[in-house]
Amino acid sequence: MDAERTQGTTKHVAANETDGFVYVNGDFCPARQATISVFDHGLLYGDGVYDTLMAWNGFLFKLDAHLDRLLRSCRAVKIEPPVSRNRLRDLFLETVARSRLRNAYVKCIVTRGTSPAPLLDPRHCTPGLVIFAVPYPASADPTKAKGVRAKITSIRRIPHDVIDSRIKSLNYLPFVLARLEAIEAGYDEALMQDAQGYVCEAPGWNVFVVHDGTVVTPGASILEGITRETVIEISTRLKIPCNVRAMTPYDLWTADEAFLTSTAGGIAPILEVDGRSIGDGQMGRICQAIVQEFRRMLESGEHGTAVTYGR
């Protein structure tokens, strides 16, 4: 897998297994060598979309679900991906294979790209495509359920009548500011409300609570997470009642259990919200059962697409 075949050229580049590997606009390179234009609309204006995947035990988890969501985001913001869906799928697998990482944090970014002049005008842009596979940070290991203390912040989720929350766009400034607010107040993570005051999600996470044995998650003003979808699937499999409905801060403050879900971090129990302990301040019984089944899925390759690694 060291021989590179990109647009008629062949290059030989050794992967640095510590850093990972990157595909950038037609070329593969070790992560440390990856660059994009400073005139790319993704950098200049946050004009682009992305999706994040997980490679675990040599399998890409729910690859097709992630691809479908990425392409929906592209359609919603009127960016035509520079390659076909099938080619994009192959590039995900090849990037992970070139990284030689069996466990990898994988991300694909599609930008409006570059134009003849570095102006806001979105016309005449050549779309950009970046895919990278890098080692999972130890703090984000999806098989380790690390508890968090959370704060409901003053920063609100961008309303759906401005940018639909189902679009996984590069504009994450509200999430960054919410997380900063929570960290500066002494918490680990932020919880955000929508414009009507309903708790919707955390920066990069979906949120769940448990009341009287029933799992509850918001259904509006959220990014529809693939791990969220998986938790709903697991709940059905384990015969745990699961409802999708609006959630207020009261539902967090009085929950028996609460947890966050994301591709980047797996399932993380919430131990405290706004200075109030959730349950007994530890991971609850239902969360433990869901985490155990999620780990089994990852380790077994269920819902996984196998990566073919070179010698």
Side-chain angles (χ1 to χ4, degrees), residues 1-4 10-16 21 28-31 33 98 100:
M1 295 302 297
D2 289 339
E4 306 215 357
T10 301
K11 299 182 289 184
H12 294 272
V13 181
N16 184 323
F21 231 68
F28 289 93
C29 64
Q33 298 176 18
R98 288 172 181 266
R100 302 177 184 170

Side-chain angles (χ1 to χ4, degrees), residues 202-275:
W205 304 85
N206 289 116
V207 60
F208 288 79
V209 298
V210 179
H211 281 278
D212 298 325
T214 297
V215 173
V216 180
T217 188
S221 299
I222 64 165
L223 179 77
E224 295 172 339
I226 305 301
T227 309
R228 172 183 177 271
E229 167 195 285
T230 304
V231 166
I232 294 172
E233 173 190 339
I234 290 171
S235 297
T236 300
R237 181 179 299 184
L238 298 181
K239 300 187 182 342
I240 300 169
C242 184
N243 292 334
V244 177
R245 64 167 175 81
M247 185 186 300
T248 68
Y250 177 86
D251 293 301
L252 270 296
W253 297 335
T254 62
D256 301 321
E257 303 179 35
F259 55 92
L260 301 172
T261 64
S262 75
T263 294
I267 301 171
I270 303 174
L271 309 182
E272 179 184 318
V273 175
D274 294 340

Side-chain angles (χ1 to χ4, degrees), residues 37-76:
S37 170
V38 296
F39 300 116
D40 191 291
H41 274 224
L43 175 64
L44 292 177
Y45 309 112
D47 185 4
V49 297
Y50 80 97
D51 218 293
T52 303
L53 295 83
M54 173 199 313
W56 204 259
N57 263 5
F59 293 90
L60 272 170
F61 186 68
K62 292 196 169 182
L63 171 58
D64 288 301
H66 282 284
L67 268 172
D68 290 342
R69 184 174 66 177
L70 175 67
L71 293 176
R72 288 196 300 269
S73 292
C74 285
R75 285 199 301 274

Side-chain angles (χ1 to χ4, degrees), residues 90-285:
D90 290 342
L91 287 172
F92 275 118
L93 292 165
E94 186 169 0
T95 303
V96 177
R98 288 172 181 266
S99 77
R100 302 177 184 170
L101 297 165
R102 293 186 62 78
N103 298 341
Y105 176 75
V106 184
K107 182 170 286 189
C108 177
I109 303 162
V110 184
T111 74
R112 190 83 54 189
T114 56
S115 58
L119 302 174
L120 185 60
D121 190 339
R123 296 171 298 176
H124 313 301
C125 288
T126 301
L129 176 62
V130 176
I131 303 171
F132 65 72
V134 298
Y136 250 97
S139 61
D141 186 331
T143 65
K144 296 179 181 177
K146 181 182 177 182
V148 299
R149 298 169 58 252
K151 179 186 189 302
I152 298 175
T153 64
S154 63
I155 303 293
R156 299 289 178 105
R157 183 69 160 91
I158 294 176
H160 66 85
D161 56 352
V162 177
I163 298 177
D164 195 294
S165 55
R166 290 170 293 184
I167 299 170
K168 200 168 174 67
S169 82
L170 296 182
N171 186 353
Y172 257 48
L173 186 57
F175 293 119
V176 172
L177 294 177
R179 181 168 285 175
L180 278 174
E181 180 181 327
I183 290 171
E184 289 172 356
Y187 290 85
D188 305 308
E189 190 53 271
L191 291 168
M192 300 176 72
Q193 298 167 279
D194 63 15
Q196 286 71 47
Y198 292 107
V199 176
C200 48
E201 58 188 5
W205 304 85
N206 289 116
V207 60
F208 288 79
V209 298
V210 179
H211 281 278
D212 298 325
T214 297
V215 173
V216 180
T217 188
S221 299
I222 64 165
L223 179 77
E224 295 172 339
I226 305 301
T227 309
R228 172 183 177 271
E229 167 195 285
T230 304
V231 166
I232 294 172
E233 173 190 339
I234 290 171
S235 297
T236 300
R237 181 179 299 184
L238 298 181
K239 300 187 182 342
I240 300 169
C242 184
N243 292 334
V244 177
R245 64 167 175 81
M247 185 186 300
T248 68
Y250 177 86
D251 293 301
L252 270 296
W253 297 335
T254 62
D256 301 321
E257 303 179 35
F259 55 92
L260 301 172
T261 64
S262 75
T263 294
I267 301 171
I270 303 174
L271 309 182
E272 179 184 318
V273 175
D274 294 340
R276 300 164 174 85
S277 290
I278 304 300
D280 61 3
Q282 299 185 32
M283 185 193 303
R285 175 182 58 83

